[in-house]
Amino acid sequence: MKIIFTKNTTIISKLIRWGLKESVSHVAIVFDNKIVFHSNFIGTNIQWFNEFKKHNNVVLTLVYDMSLDEEELIYQDVIDKNIAKQYDYTAFLFFTFRTILHKLFGTKYPIKNPANRSWAWICTEAIGSLPNRFQPKTPIDLSITSPYSLYIALGGPLASQK
């Protein structure tokens, strides 16, 4: 299993990276190097990894070594519980608003996203569907966490930002 951090050429991806001053704008989970689970503007969904890579550039990767049987159990659990979740537009808009305040005035991000809805997700929240051992060591509100901040919280080495 892998957790991948990506960017693409869409205006949304470019705006997210520009606003956050980060090299990535999206996060997804890859199972068996074939299937991607993620949350985007159409909600939580699965996609063939080869198709996903046609429109997204993988910038950073966290690899978790496990047996195929263990990976399959995690995959089934994640899909069974989470495939129908909607995209959390209110959480995204609040995060966007706070990013603008941060960029213009240097205001700090809040610890919690008050616009977060439990039945809908932004991309970083999809990681919350994984077992605890794949979660950040220090609990954080994934609905106000950028993809790159999540990468660091999951133990990714500090990477240079573009």
Side-chain angles (χ1 to χ4, degrees):
M1 184 183 83
K2 296 189 264 193
I3 299 176
I4 57 172
F5 301 83
T6 68
K7 67 179 182 177
N8 61 45
T9 58
T10 65
I11 190 71
I12 293 292
S13 177
K14 289 177 181 179
L15 284 171
I16 290 169
R17 288 182 279 127
W18 174 79
L20 296 171
K21 297 183 201 171
E22 296 179 355
S23 60
V24 296
S25 59
H26 190 63
V27 61
I29 307 164
V30 179
F31 294 101
D32 192 25
N33 268 335
K34 294 179 182 163
I35 299 171
V36 174
F37 174 76
H38 64 127
S39 182
N40 58 16
F41 288 139
I42 60 172
T44 57
N45 60 88
I46 55 175
Q47 191 174 1
W48 292 113
F49 191 29
N50 285 338
E51 285 300 309
F52 181 87
K53 289 188 293 187
K54 287 179 182 177
H55 305 286
N56 297 278
N57 298 318
V58 177
V59 178
L60 302 165
T61 304
L62 297 173
V63 179
Y64 299 94
D65 189 30
M66 65 185 73
S67 72
L68 194 54
D69 288 341
E70 184 179 11
E71 192 169 343
E72 177 70 17
L73 287 173
I74 294 170
Y75 166 77
Q76 288 296 332
D77 187 53
V78 166
I79 300 302
D80 289 347
K81 290 180 182 173
N82 303 297
I83 196 61
K85 285 196 182 277
Q86 296 177 17
Y87 190 77
D88 196 341
Y89 291 100
T90 59
F92 179 76
L93 289 173
F94 179 80
F95 194 174
T96 301
F97 172 68
R98 293 309 304 218
T99 297
I100 292 167
L101 290 178
H102 179 75
K103 189 147 183 89
L104 295 177
F105 306 111
T107 21
K108 294 188 185 263
Y109 288 93
I111 295 172
K112 296 275 185 199
N113 185 334
N116 185 36
R117 299 177 298 174
S118 62
W119 48 269
W121 283 346
I122 63 171
C123 70
T124 50
E125 290 179 283
I127 302 307
S129 66
L130 293 171
N132 284 341
R133 71 176 194 248
F134 304 105
Q135 300 302 317
K137 304 269 186 270
T138 303
I140 55 175
D141 181 351
L142 294 172
S143 70
I144 196 75
T145 302
S146 72
Y148 183 75
S149 295
L150 178 58
Y151 172 76
I152 298 303
L154 291 172
L158 293 176
S160 63
Q161 292 295 295
K162 296 178 184 175

